[in-house]
Amino acid sequence: QVQLVESGGGLVQPGGSLRLSCVASGSIFAINAMGWYRQAPGKQRELVATIISGETNYADSVKGRFTISRDNAKNTVYLRMNSLKPEDTAVYYCNANLRPYGLGYDDYWGQGTQVTVSS
């Protein structure tokens, strides 16, 4: 039973910072990639950042402000968010492309954590 659990969301003022965490647990054989996506009401889910080994990829809207990192020993991915803007307000979802024991690679999702940027 594979699970992804996010934490670290909350309410911050514009210009503030947050760090999101996501832990993958269960019968996992290997993890290929991990990443963060976000979705606001009435909008489609969009990619924020991904990491494969040491290679990272960011949406243009967050480059220079967000940093993704990964602790392979703990099956954990982090997203450090600085200089937050109101348009960053969304539910942030953790994603992992992984292979459970006895199965092939597939994408798994957490339930999301709310980030609200407002004065």
Side-chain angles (χ1 to χ4, degrees), residues 39-109:
Q39 186 171 25
K43 296 185 64 178
Q44 294 186 341
R45 188 173 299 186
E46 64 177 356
L47 182 147
V48 177
T50 60
I51 183 166
I52 305 174
S53 296
E55 181 177 320
T56 58
N57 182 47
Y58 297 92
D60 289 340
S61 60
V62 306
K63 284 182 178 178
R65 299 189 297 122
F66 292 9
T67 302
I68 188 170
S69 60
R70 180 174 168 182
D71 186 335
N72 293 326
K74 297 182 177 181
N75 288 339
T76 301
V77 65
Y78 304 94
L79 185 68
R80 176 67 176 176
M81 304 183 293
N82 295 325
S83 302
L84 284 162
K85 305 174 181 179
E87 50 263 45
D88 295 318
T89 296
V91 177
Y92 284 70
Y93 295 92
C94 178
N95 170 265
N97 182 258
L98 59 83
R99 183 178 184 180
Y101 284 103
L103 299 174
Y105 279 99
D106 202 359
D107 287 323
Y108 293 81
W109 296 88

